[in-house]
Amino acid sequence: MLRDSINTDRLINNFLELINIDSMSFQEQGIGEVLAGKLIGLGFSVSIQSYGDSFNLVGYKKGKATGAMPLMLSSHMDTVESTGGIRVIRENGVIKTDGKTVLGADDKSGIVEILETLRVIEDMGLSVGDIEVLFTSAEERGLHGAKNFDYSLLQSKHALVLDSSGSVGRVVVSAPTHDAYTMRISGRSAHAGIEPEKGINAITAAAKIISELPDGRIDPVTTANIGTIWGGSATNVVPREVVIEGEMRSHTLETIERLKESMFEMAIKLARKHQVKIHIEDKRHYVGFKIADDDPFVRLIDVALHKSGTFPEHLVYGGGSDANVFNERGIKALVLSTGMQQPHTTEEHIYINDLTSGALAILETIVAFRDFRVG
Ligand SMILES: [Zn+2]
């Protein structure tokens, strides 16, 4: 039984070791060195791919199985904020902090589940295909590591990304395209008490524009949000400038394009009507992906999850991850839950049982993937 080969104590020790290393985005040097050492200890050849602000860690190990396709396993090394001074509490089968810092299970639970799986494969001498490991950096600040990675270093066309929360068994099969925009609205300043007629109030114009823009849930798979507003300088000055920042997400690319176009057209029309200038900039943070529920790779993962004793649940998720970039670059990547709970909060915690189940789910998937053929 593969389940019996998972060593929970080893998993916990590795987890505690990693969460005690502070690794904010762009400051992954310390954890990177430890992980490189661990991968080398597992028989992997390791390379570091540097980019402007940080680096990605790539591991490769040839498998015993001939004719099997390579599989990539990925997690990110950075945490959403500092875990400096972390105090870990372990009680009733749960690992959490004293509530003063995040735990960093996002995404170190993913890393240790991968490492445990690789240890078992090595110790049991399991026949599996080639495995590539990609530990990315600065995921939390906008997928920087994944975006700056040199994909020619990889052979895999399939990947498991261990970076989702909730019960083990959850599989993210769809994530949205995410765009953001800035609208700079310029009127004309004037003394508000002496000659207000000479001014054009950017705040009132912005209010009229904003009130016409779609916001909130647009359709079941599309959202929009006006997130920040800045403007004005003093009560006695007709305000000259307002800056609005917003975003939109959709699981349908055409919808986001259409929404953006209609919003920007509307804003430009209203700006003209209210005699203000408007300058709009938009930026694509990441492209969405959607993998069919009956896709062979998804089905393989479903079977492996069942085998590992968890119930697969397909999720259409509202946020992005490195998997968005991998899919865009031609690697079919699904995001699996590691069992982490309430990430990005000081309530973040993980059940020890879920660390074990998470590792087993990966292990069963790797073993099943040995016989996977497409095309
Ligand atoms: Zn994460």
Side-chain angles (χ1 to χ4, degrees):
M1 279 276 283
L2 287 179
R3 175 175 286 277
D4 302 329
S5 59
I6 305 279
N7 184 328
T8 302
D9 288 335
R10 184 169 58 199
L11 252 174
I12 295 170
N13 289 337
N14 267 327
F15 184 59
L16 295 177
E17 180 186 355
L18 295 189
I19 60 176
N20 274 288
I21 303 170
D22 199 5
S23 63
M24 284 168 70
S25 304
F26 304 115
Q27 296 173 33
E28 297 93 349
Q29 196 62 39
I31 194 169
E33 280 169 20
V34 170
L35 293 178
K38 287 184 186 291
L39 285 173
I40 290 166
L42 287 161
F44 276 69
S45 55
V46 171
S47 57
I48 288 163
Q49 186 247 339
S50 297
Y51 63 91
D53 301 307
S54 192
F55 66 94
N56 296 299
L57 198 63
V58 198
Y60 169 78
K61 190 177 181 190
K62 184 147 184 56
K64 287 184 175 177
T66 48
M69 289 191 290
L71 180 64
M72 176 174 121
L73 309 172
S74 181
S75 290
H76 62 87
M77 297 183 282
D78 61 315
T79 52
V80 68
E81 54 187 49
S82 174
T83 55
I86 189 170
R87 289 187 53 184
V88 179
I89 296 169
R90 189 177 147 190
E91 59 183 21
N92 304 325
V94 178
I95 301 176
K96 58 184 183 179
T97 69
D98 60 0
K100 294 202 171 73
T101 65
V102 296
L103 181 65
D106 180 4
D107 194 16
K108 288 161 184 173
S109 55
I111 297 177
V112 295
E113 288 169 14
I114 290 172
L115 292 174
E116 177 63 21
T117 306
L118 301 176
R119 180 84 263 163
V120 171
I121 290 168
E122 173 71 4
D123 289 354
M124 292 180 76
L126 294 177
S127 169
V128 298
D130 298 356
I131 294 177
E132 291 177 308
V133 174
L134 175 57
F135 290 141
T136 62
S137 51
E139 190 271 353
E140 299 286 6
R141 297 287 185 88
L143 320 179
H144 288 273
K147 284 179 181 171
N148 286 289
F149 187 65
D150 174 3
Y151 287 85
S152 69
L153 298 171
L154 292 177
Q155 300 165 35
S156 301
K157 289 287 165 232
H158 296 83
L160 301 181
V161 176
L162 279 301
D163 187 20
S164 187
S165 61
S167 323
V168 171
R170 286 155 59 112
V171 184
V172 176
V173 294
S174 180
T177 297
H178 178 21
D179 289 356
Y181 64 85
T182 304
M183 290 182 185
R184 189 173 289 273
I185 296 159
S186 312
R188 192 187 311 127
S189 59
H191 192 293
I194 299 169
E195 45 181 15
E197 303 79 3
K198 292 198 172 164
I200 299 172
N201 191 317
I203 290 181
T204 54
K208 282 167 181 144
I209 293 171
I210 290 169
S211 67
E212 294 296 325
L213 296 181
D215 191 59
R217 186 163 292 285
I218 307 298
D219 68 30
V221 294
T222 309
T223 56
N225 185 50
I226 295 164
T228 72
I229 178 162
W230 168 91
S233 57
T235 59
N236 61 354
V237 181
V238 175
R240 190 180 63 83
E241 190 167 75
V242 170
V243 180
I244 304 162
E245 289 174 316
E247 64 152 56
M248 54 268 271
R249 302 175 191 227
S250 181
H251 289 264
T252 319
L253 193 57
E254 304 87 77
T255 308
I256 204 167
E257 296 291 5
R258 226 182 309 122
L259 175 66
K260 205 160 61 172
E261 201 182 299
S262 68
M263 276 178 79
F264 294 173
E265 267 175 23
M266 171 73 79
I268 290 165
K269 201 177 96 190
L270 289 168
R272 203 172 294 139
K273 183 174 166 197
H274 298 288
Q275 296 172 315
V276 287
K277 290 200 182 89
I278 188 164
H279 178 73
I280 305 174
E281 272 176 32
D282 70 309
K283 186 176 181 236
R284 176 142 295 163
H285 282 308
Y286 46 78
V287 178
F289 67 89
K290 182 167 179 52
I291 302 173
D293 290 310
D294 62 351
D295 178 275
F297 186 46
V298 176
R299 289 219 309 259
L300 175 132
I301 291 170
D302 285 348
V303 171
L305 284 169
H306 269 299
K307 219 170 168 190
S308 74
T310 54
F311 190 77
E313 183 192 349
H314 296 176
L315 285 186
V316 173
Y317 192 61
S321 71
D322 286 345
N324 286 63
V325 183
F326 301 155
N327 278 293
E328 191 188 356
R329 303 299 173 95
I331 300 169
K332 189 170 280 182
L334 289 152
V335 193
L336 304 188
S337 172
T338 68
M340 61 167 114
Q341 306 282 351
Q342 290 176 260
H344 297 203
T345 75
T346 52
E347 313 297 309
E348 186 182 15
H349 61 279
I350 190 163
Y351 289 90
I352 290 167
N353 275 341
D354 278 341
L355 280 175
T356 312
S357 308
L360 185 60
I362 303 167
L363 185 56
E364 291 284 7
T365 306
I366 296 172
V367 169
F369 194 74
R370 175 186 56 200
D371 302 315
F372 187 66
R373 301 288 183 273
V374 282

Tab-separated table of all heavy atoms in Angstrom, residues 76 106-107 139-140 163, ligand 1:
chain	number	residue	atom	x	y	z
A	76	HIS	N	5.136	27.303	-5.173
A	76	HIS	CA	5.943	28.534	-5.081
A	76	HIS	C	6.621	28.646	-3.720
A	76	HIS	O	6.087	28.190	-2.710
A	76	HIS	CB	5.122	29.772	-5.430
A	76	HIS	CG	3.954	30.062	-4.534
A	76	HIS	ND1	4.069	30.804	-3.376
A	76	HIS	CD2	2.643	29.727	-4.628
A	76	HIS	CE1	2.877	30.922	-2.808
A	76	HIS	NE2	1.998	30.271	-3.539
A	106	ASP	N	0.735	28.102	2.615
A	106	ASP	CA	0.702	28.613	1.235
A	106	ASP	C	2.085	29.166	0.952
A	106	ASP	O	2.393	30.281	1.324
A	106	ASP	CB	-0.377	29.690	1.135
A	106	ASP	CG	-0.503	30.284	-0.255
A	106	ASP	OD1	0.195	29.812	-1.164
A	106	ASP	OD2	-1.276	31.241	-0.423
A	107	ASP	N	3.025	28.465	0.374
A	107	ASP	CA	2.717	27.247	-0.348
A	107	ASP	C	3.647	26.115	0.102
A	107	ASP	O	3.902	25.176	-0.637
A	107	ASP	CB	2.870	27.539	-1.845
A	107	ASP	CG	2.265	26.486	-2.729
A	107	ASP	OD1	1.474	25.670	-2.238
A	107	ASP	OD2	2.606	26.466	-3.914
A	139	GLU	N	5.333	34.422	-6.522
A	139	GLU	CA	3.993	34.121	-7.053
A	139	GLU	C	2.981	35.098	-6.482
A	139	GLU	O	2.101	35.593	-7.180
A	139	GLU	CB	3.620	32.670	-6.684
A	139	GLU	CG	2.362	32.142	-7.368
A	139	GLU	CD	1.076	32.407	-6.606
A	139	GLU	OE1	1.115	32.904	-5.450
A	139	GLU	OE2	0.000	32.148	-7.166
A	140	GLU	N	3.145	35.391	-5.204
A	140	GLU	CA	2.155	36.212	-4.492
A	140	GLU	C	2.135	37.662	-4.970
A	140	GLU	O	1.182	38.373	-4.720
A	140	GLU	CB	2.438	36.177	-2.980
A	140	GLU	CG	2.364	34.786	-2.357
A	140	GLU	CD	0.932	34.276	-2.217
A	140	GLU	OE1	0.003	34.943	-2.694
A	140	GLU	OE2	0.774	33.184	-1.639
A	163	ASP	N	-1.077	24.211	-5.032
A	163	ASP	CA	-1.205	25.584	-4.534
A	163	ASP	C	-2.666	26.004	-4.441
A	163	ASP	O	-3.044	27.074	-4.908
A	163	ASP	CB	-0.434	26.553	-5.459
A	163	ASP	CG	-0.400	27.959	-4.894
A	163	ASP	OD1	-0.604	28.127	-3.679
A	163	ASP	OD2	-0.177	28.901	-5.682
B	1	ZN	ZN	-0.111	30.149	-3.067
